[in-house]
Amino acid sequence: MKKRRLNILWIMAALFAFTGCNDFLDIQPVGKVMPKTAKEYRALLTDAYSRIPAERGKTTFRSDELTMEGETNTTNLDSYLDIWRWNDTSPDETTLPFEWLQFYYVSYIANSVIEQQYNITEATDAERNQLAGEAYMLRAYMHFILVNLYAEPYTHCDPKNTKGIPLKLDNDINKVLSRNTIAEVYTSILSDIKEAERLLNVEEWPEGETYRFNTLSVPAFRARVYLYMGDWQQAYTNATDVVGKHGELEDLTASSTLPNHYQSVEAILSMENIFNSSSLGAGYVASGLLSLYRSGDLRKSKFYKQLSASATEVLKAGVNTYRCTFRSAEFYLTAAEAALELNDMDNARHYLTELMKKRYLSAIYPTYEAEILSMTQDELREEIYNERFRELAFEGHRWFDLRRTTRQELTKTYKGETYVLQKDDSRYTLRIPADAIEANPGLEEENRE
């Protein structure tokens, strides 16, 4: 019975993945023709890119970036309020669910390309390799987001003995899946990135196609993976590789382009619409975040707009022009954090201050630089965490940063009610959706408080 349920789940995933596509994307033997040419496989991958869930943006509501106080949009508020207050056991029926299955049918498409890469017709070897390389990166990225939503953070568990999420590395819909360990998931992610590195050959895509993985996205993705693993040497090596190849930063003292804009000089991969239009109006920028921006920090006025004494809205999100998966500032911060943990204080300060020069008024920056140079290791660690918060707010990083680092206590209030996420709370990890467990009881989680 369990096997039958899982088969149904994967058949539904496969069918849904191709719903609305052209006839050549139908699945054999149910459909008529599998894609054959490079053009057809490119269309298949384009469909996969379009279906990547915006769950990194949804985690913004679980973090400390937003407040729900004020005259927010009622419809949007109902969709996000229980996410915001961590009510995972009995959310209102209007609450938006976190995706699970959609990640797997994006992987299904990626697996289709990988399995058929040597059969693609009307293509050069370089074109076949590029398509396959993108598919490996897509599969790795889907597993990476899933394991960081639905499993314990790598840095706060025994990865070799802690259950993660099921790996789906082929399109056999008859295979009964179980949860792989967290270590197994990360090993698979890194293996896929390594294979993609061998295959990818497009260094830069033209405007309109920058949502596609390129060669620089390999060390960028790898740096983020190793950061989340707490592998400081590999995180540093890959982050500095990115900075060395693509170290451009938007100079906010002179530029009107926001750093996470797809046309920014910082852009590496503009794949995800992180904090989309449906999220705007459901809340305002939290006062705790705003208080982190010090005098002379140009980001406060460029990233946000004050509507009233108690309400500030975010400007760096909500439209497709702010699609952003990897940009150069992230890797300055990764290099700084990794160097710090390697006891290399000089380089930690160097990469942090190189970013700060582009974010603060030139007359004020020397004051903050002097503070950085005088900080102890613990003080500098806290400053790097705060700088990540200031720089990467509303770009899908904060919740994952909280998970992998301090898992600190968070307190929120709404209409006189106080909600608390305790330090190291089990709710730092999402519950696997009930319908997924019903389809496959093998996914059942251990008892949680």
Side-chain angles (χ1 to χ4, degrees), residues 98 100 150 431-441 443-445:
F98 276 87
W100 170 268
Y150 294 104
R431 296 170 179 268
I432 294 175
D435 56 354
I437 294 175
E438 182 180 355
N440 180 6
L443 300 179
E444 187 113 32
E445 301 180 83

Side-chain angles (χ1 to χ4, degrees), residues 158-171:
D158 175 3
K160 292 182 178 179
N161 294 300
T162 304
K163 288 183 178 180
I165 50 97
L167 286 167
K168 185 57 179 170
L169 303 176
D170 58 44
N171 281 344

Side-chain angles (χ1 to χ4, degrees), residues 221-408:
F221 188 11
R222 192 179 272 144
R224 189 183 292 176
V225 172
Y226 280 122
L227 179 73
Y228 282 33
M229 294 174 69
D231 187 330
W232 305 117
Q233 186 58 63
Q234 288 291 346
Y236 182 79
T237 297
N238 283 277
T240 54
D241 184 20
V242 176
V243 171
K245 294 173 179 174
H246 186 90
E248 296 88 344
L249 292 168
E250 287 291 346
D251 186 351
L252 295 188
T253 66
S255 174
S256 60
T257 302
L258 296 188
N260 65 318
H261 193 282
Y262 82 101
Q263 292 177 321
S264 168
V265 297
E266 297 193 19
I268 295 171
L269 179 66
S270 304
M271 185 172 68
E272 297 163 282
N273 187 1
I274 303 294
F275 196 70
N276 57 36
S277 58
S278 66
S279 303
L280 294 178
Y284 297 116
V285 183
S287 58
L289 169 56
L290 290 171
S291 68
L292 286 178
Y293 295 96
R294 299 168 293 193
S295 175
D297 191 331
L298 295 162
R299 291 171 294 195
K300 187 172 184 179
S301 62
K302 291 179 179 287
F303 287 3
Y304 312 108
K305 179 181 179 181
Q306 187 170 350
L307 302 176
S308 67
S310 59
T312 299
E313 68 177 357
V314 60
L315 299 177
K316 58 184 299 201
V319 293
N320 277 339
T321 53
Y322 294 115
R323 283 184 173 272
C324 182
T325 299
F326 301 129
R327 65 180 177 92
S328 52
E330 174 188 348
F331 303 100
Y332 280 84
L333 292 163
T334 297
E337 183 177 344
L340 177 79
E341 300 303 341
L342 292 168
N343 298 312
D344 183 354
M345 294 286 285
D346 288 342
N347 273 316
R349 294 183 177 113
H350 166 73
Y351 285 105
L352 182 61
T353 55
E354 284 298 298
L355 174 62
M356 292 173 63
K357 287 176 185 176
K358 307 295 185 180
R359 302 297 188 251
Y360 291 84
L361 288 172
S362 55
I364 299 234
Y365 165 74
T367 300
Y368 297 132
E369 180 186 40
E371 291 179 6
I372 296 296
L373 295 176
S374 66
M375 285 180 177
T376 66
Q377 189 171 26
D378 288 341
E379 291 170 337
L380 187 56
R381 180 180 295 109
E382 183 177 1
E383 181 61 23
I384 291 170
Y385 289 169
N386 286 341
E387 193 62 25
R388 281 187 68 91
F389 197 6
R390 288 187 283 257
E391 177 67 23
L392 302 175
F394 298 97
E395 295 181 40
H397 292 274
R398 178 60 175 175
W399 177 251
F400 298 112
D401 279 346
L402 288 169
R403 275 172 44 87
R404 71 178 178 83
T405 57
T406 60
R407 293 205 295 183
Q408 67 196 52

Side-chain angles (χ1 to χ4, degrees), residues 90-104:
S90 57
D92 187 87
E93 62 182 10
T94 61
T95 301
L96 287 174
F98 276 87
E99 294 287 352
W100 170 268
L101 187 57
Q102 189 164 336
F103 285 102
Y104 284 106

Side-chain angles (χ1 to χ4, degrees), residues 144-155:
F144 180 69
I145 301 301
L146 275 168
V147 78
N148 280 287
L149 289 173
Y150 294 104
E152 291 293 309
Y154 193 100
T155 49

